[in-house]
Amino acid sequence: MNKPLLQVENLGVCFHTDNGTVNAVNGVSFQLEAGETLGIVGESGSGKSVTNLAIMGLIPSPPGEITSGEVRFRGEDLLTMDSQHIREIRGNKIAMIFQDPMTALNPFLTVEEQLTEVTQLHLGHSRREARAHAIDMLEKVGIPAASRRIDEYPHQFSGGMRQRVMIAMALSCKPDILIADEPTTALDVTIQAQILELMSELQHQEGTAIIFITHDLGVVANTCHRVMVMYAGKPVEKATTREIFASPHHPYSLGLLNSALRWDESHGGMLRAIPGQPPDLTQLGDGCAFAPRCEYCVDACETAVPPLISVDKNQTREHACIQDLPSIRQTEVDV
């Protein structure tokens, strides 16, 4: 049996602050196959971006610290690699589209200098080859007059345009794994569709695996094969996209789906927001972190953290809840 392209096991990341230790990621495990798209969803602060910054070796230390786990790319543990080796992989074999395009680009360098550096370093391009390749990538992500605008500085681009530059940079080396952290947030729907199509083409042509971090459940439904739902630094449910949308097994997954707009329902209905606020990660209690916000909470939820367990015989679906949510919901419908 072939090993997965990426295998994350029991990853833990914390940040030491003046207010205490923030356990931002606590026991995250997942696998990623070549050509697969994994969607990671959850509220802000759930640990989505920190998980993937750890994979890239970009956790700032101090205050950050990777406390446990393994991250194996093609069998090699990225967490134990020396800095030279990880630099050869980062941006080349594993690339990331960062969440904030307004701060991700260096304001003192032109777009050309920032785009050509990656292909000169990893692909051995001459400066002329790198410039031609950079212009081609800018055209592919929808930058008009790319041959002229490549000589401009980031401040001369809008937020959406900077996001496109970041996407062009991430796709330049045709990476084996693309980590896309809210890649379409600053884009209008037309350009969003264009970018998603470009990523899909890369996936089909090169077998690229994609980790898609997003709040947009519509994008997840249309692009992802599997979904991992995170809450308070932990995965609370893993399943195929079809399974998650058809029958969520964790109350938090259900809450996310209920709080999203749906085009197949009549107008005028109220969105069902999840009550309360995400927990303080410096003061997590003994029980389920979602218990204070959960309408299905029972006494046992407040005394022990439920483990992630398999729901089906094939072990392709897991959830961390002591309740049988589908059965409870069916009972409610029957009543």
Side-chain angles (χ1 to χ4, degrees), residues 59-70:
I59 298 295
S61 179
E65 179 187 0
I66 295 177
T67 56
S68 65
E70 295 181 343

Side-chain angles (χ1 to χ4, degrees), residues 184 187-200:
T184 58
L187 306 178
D188 61 60
V189 291
T190 304
I191 298 302
Q192 181 185 89
Q194 182 180 339
I195 295 303
L196 293 176
E197 183 178 355
L198 179 61
M199 292 168 62
S200 178

Side-chain angles (χ1 to χ4, degrees), residues 86-254:
I86 195 69
R87 279 197 297 268
E88 292 172 359
I89 292 176
R90 187 168 55 219
N92 182 18
K93 299 299 183 182
I94 305 177
M96 186 169 184
I97 302 170
F98 293 94
Q99 186 173 12
D100 186 1
M102 303 303 288
T103 59
L105 294 170
N106 189 325
F108 297 102
L109 300 177
T110 64
V111 168
E112 180 198 15
E113 290 174 294
Q114 298 183 65
L115 277 178
T116 57
E117 179 184 25
V118 64
T119 54
Q120 287 179 296
L121 177 64
H122 294 301
L123 302 182
H125 281 179
S126 66
R127 178 157 187 177
R128 178 177 294 181
E129 291 172 331
R131 180 181 172 88
H133 182 76
I135 292 172
D136 180 56
M137 291 304 302
L138 290 179
E139 290 173 345
K140 285 182 177 179
V141 297
I143 300 285
S147 59
R148 174 179 60 82
R149 302 215 65 186
I150 194 173
D151 296 312
E152 296 179 353
Y153 288 86
H155 74 269
Q156 296 173 278
F157 287 73
S158 67
M161 288 289 188
R162 293 190 209 185
Q163 183 70 300
R164 295 187 224 179
V165 172
M166 291 299 304
I167 293 169
M169 186 183 301
L171 298 180
S172 288
C173 293
K174 297 181 178 179
D176 294 335
I177 299 174
L178 175 65
I179 300 172
D181 192 352
E182 294 283 357
T184 58
T185 299
L187 306 178
D188 61 60
V189 291
T190 304
I191 298 302
Q192 181 185 89
Q194 182 180 339
I195 295 303
L196 293 176
E197 183 178 355
L198 179 61
M199 292 168 62
S200 178
E201 289 176 3
L202 177 70
Q203 191 168 48
H204 289 304
Q205 294 172 4
E206 306 295 334
T208 302
I210 299 175
I211 298 176
F212 216 114
I213 306 169
T214 183
H215 294 280
D216 191 332
L217 295 178
V219 171
V220 170
N222 288 315
T223 63
C224 298
H225 301 103
R226 290 189 298 118
V227 180
M228 180 170 71
V229 182
M230 291 188 66
Y231 187 79
K234 288 178 172 287
V236 295
E237 185 163 4
K238 302 178 194 175
T240 67
T241 303
R242 182 181 294 274
E243 289 170 336
I244 284 283
F245 279 81
S247 179
H249 277 247
H250 195 282
Y252 181 60
S253 304
L254 176 64

Side-chain angles (χ1 to χ4, degrees), residues 19 21-23 279-286:
N19 296 322
T21 299
V22 177
N23 295 301
D280 183 345
L281 296 182
T282 64
Q283 299 179 10
L284 291 176
D286 296 329

Side-chain angles (χ1 to χ4, degrees), residues 12-26 45 47-54 58-67 280-282:
V13 182
C14 71
F15 293 90
H16 304 287
T17 72
D18 293 340
N19 296 322
T21 299
V22 177
N23 295 301
V25 173
N26 190 3
K48 307 183 302 295
S49 296
V50 174
T51 295
N52 289 281
L53 288 172
L58 294 175
I59 298 295
S61 179
E65 179 187 0
I66 295 177
T67 56
D280 183 345
L281 296 182
T282 64

